Amino acid sequence: MTEETWAAVDRYIDRLFARSDPALDAAQKAAADAGMPMIHITANQGKLLQILARSVNARLILEIGTLAGYSAIWLARALPAGGRLLTIESDPKHAEVARANIARAGLAEVVEVRLGNARETLPEIAAAESGRFDLVFIDADKSSTADYFRWALRLTRPGGLIVCDNVVRNGAVADSTTRDPGALGMRRFIELLAAEPGVSATVVQTVGSKGYDGFAVAVVTGELFPGHAPGRSKP
Ligand code: SAH
Ligand code: DHB
Ligand code: MG
């Protein structure tokens, strides 16, 4: 089995379930033209995020790591009228390209691209909107993922979802001797996730046009986690 096969199957799946359109195509082209890394999720992963968002009736979504706004467009399209997506990006050029892509997709009123380092932005968001998010998608610098997960736990309502991209990293996640900072970060995150009593979680490996990687998915149960008390007491 080769990456060529994985990519061919992705093309087959995408044609049936996750068709592209001018806004998604233009978002990718703008990213490539700007010399940005082509590390966005695949189309069928975007469709999966949409399905997850719809399955929890998401009205308020947080994304950590915008890049060119490709995953944000998929997620924002799952929102009902009046829904909102906040996406955090630390690179000013990425944020600028993302804002243009999101506007071109007709989502400028729905999506806010917040320029800043998530390490500084997340505490601000938590101060204002703890326990209010229906879904958090973590997809930024891999070595900080455990910290982002701690914030996501505070920000997500009971019954909401926390999804994290790139947890498998070509299998490096299962290598206890890895020295790759990203893989080490993911091992720290996954072990924290497994030990957290306030979620029910798992990890699913994926192959496709973006190689071999995986998603972590967690539903927040709200059990035994005092950090949720403020959010829960709000109307
Ligand atoms: N979610 C995107 C891909 C994100 S790539 C998609 O699938 O379409 C990761 C992004 O996280 C990059 O744009 C990078 O600049 C951003 N990033 C890295 N470290 C960050 C930090 N500390 N705070 C906010 N964004 C960060
Ligand atoms: C990288 C980041 C991603 O979010 C991704 O999906 C793939 C690769 C990276 O930083 O290399
Ligand atoms: Mg990613």
Side-chain angles (χ1 to χ4, degrees):
M1 216 61 63
T2 63
E3 298 219 13
E4 218 171 287
T5 311
W6 304 344
V9 173
D10 258 1
R11 285 193 296 277
Y12 175 68
I13 295 169
D14 291 350
R15 182 157 47 79
L16 295 171
F17 297 101
R19 277 186 177 278
S20 197
D21 60 37
L24 288 168
D25 290 342
Q28 292 194 7
K29 185 175 184 302
D33 290 350
M36 288 162 64
M38 299 304 276
I39 53 175
H40 49 79
I41 55 166
T42 63
N44 53 50
Q45 289 170 346
K47 182 70 179 288
L48 175 64
L49 291 179
Q50 275 189 353
I51 291 166
L52 292 173
R54 289 201 175 127
S55 70
V56 296
N57 292 316
R59 298 181 54 83
L60 184 59
I61 297 175
L62 176 68
E63 176 179 72
I64 308 168
T66 316
L67 194 65
Y70 183 80
S71 52
I73 292 171
W74 278 101
L75 276 168
R77 286 174 171 177
L79 289 165
R84 193 161 67 89
L85 178 126
L86 179 57
T87 179
I88 306 171
E89 175 55 56
S90 59
D91 184 310
K93 191 179 82 179
H94 294 184
E96 186 189 322
V97 173
R99 285 188 184 118
N101 284 338
I102 287 160
R104 199 187 290 109
L107 294 164
E109 305 296 308
V110 178
V111 179
E112 180 191 344
V113 180
R114 179 93 47 103
L115 178 61
N117 187 325
R119 292 179 162 284
E120 282 143 35
T121 315
L122 286 168
E124 290 167 20
I125 297 167
E129 299 188 280
S130 257
R132 291 184 177 255
F133 287 87
D134 303 295
L135 188 150
V136 177
F137 178 49
I138 304 173
D139 193 19
D141 52 315
K142 307 310 164 192
S143 50
S144 305
T145 301
D147 293 323
Y148 299 152
F149 172 69
R150 283 195 190 86
W151 287 111
L153 259 181
R154 285 185 52 172
L155 288 164
T156 307
R157 66 157 165 94
L161 296 178
I162 300 169
V163 183
C164 183
D165 193 23
N166 309 117
V167 296
V168 172
R169 314 244 348 156
N170 253 314
V173 73
D175 175 4
S176 60
T177 66
T178 185
R179 296 175 69 182
D180 172 67
L184 283 168
M186 284 309 178
R187 285 178 65 82
R188 262 200 316 279
F189 159 60
I190 284 174
E191 281 152 40
L192 178 69
L193 182 66
E196 170 55 54
V199 300
S200 175
T202 195
V203 171
V204 179
Q205 306 184 67
T206 60
V207 294
S209 56
K210 291 288 160 68
Y212 170 35
D213 217 316
F215 277 124
V217 183
V219 61
V220 175
T221 58
E223 303 299 316
L224 306 169
F225 190 75
H228 279 115
R232 225 195 262 149
S233 64
K234 277 175 193 158

